[in-house]
Amino acid sequence: QVQLVESGGGLVQPGGSLRLSCAASGSIFSIYDMGWYRQAPGKQRELVALIINDGSTVYADSVKGRFTISRDNAKNTVYLQMNSLKPEDTAVYNCNIRDKYFRFLGSWGQGTQVTVSS
């Protein structure tokens, strides 16, 4: 069992910034990547950013240049720095971990709400 606790969401004006955190605990073995995903109302969950064990990163085209994913291995924590936020970034953000077989190790909890609005 892997537990994931996301935090850092909130209401921000367009152009603003937020930093999300996700702490992982439990049976964390064979981690391949840690990532952030989001789901807007009426839409499917989508990948936002991944950080792979070798330190390389992957970003959705819609957030490139604005979001930065980072990881503290000692704390099993992954962060998402979000700058220049847009209304279309409004969504529930979840983190998750995948193993080397690309299986998600955590459950999709309630996540953290990010609302970008003036």
Side-chain angles (χ1 to χ4, degrees):
Q1 286 276 1
V2 173
Q3 292 78 45
L4 303 166
V5 179
E6 301 102 338
S7 61
L11 172 64
V12 64
Q13 292 187 340
S17 298
L18 284 173
R19 187 190 192 214
L20 306 183
S21 299
C22 172
S25 61
S27 302
I28 305 173
F29 304 108
S30 301
I31 293 175
Y32 176 75
D33 61 39
M34 299 182 76
W36 285 97
Y37 303 81
R38 67 186 181 187
Q39 187 168 20
K43 295 187 177 181
Q44 289 189 334
R45 182 179 292 118
E46 63 176 356
L47 170 69
V48 177
L50 288 173
I51 184 162
I52 300 170
N53 274 352
D54 63 1
S56 59
T57 56
V58 175
Y59 294 94
D61 287 343
S62 59
V63 306
K64 282 181 181 177
R66 301 188 298 121
F67 291 10
T68 303
I69 190 170
S70 61
R71 176 176 171 179
D72 184 332
N73 290 328
K75 297 181 179 179
N76 286 323
T77 299
V78 62
Y79 305 96
L80 186 67
Q81 178 65 44
M82 305 186 294
N83 299 329
S84 303
L85 282 160
K86 303 175 180 180
E88 51 264 43
D89 295 318
T90 296
V92 175
Y93 285 69
N94 287 88
C95 67
N96 217 320
I97 296 172
R98 295 192 302 177
D99 65 14
K100 61 182 180 180
Y101 302 109
F102 303 111
R103 296 176 301 193
F104 289 107
L105 301 181
S107 59
W108 298 102
Q110 63 181 17
T112 186
Q113 176 71 47
V114 171
T115 303
V116 185
S117 176
S118 55

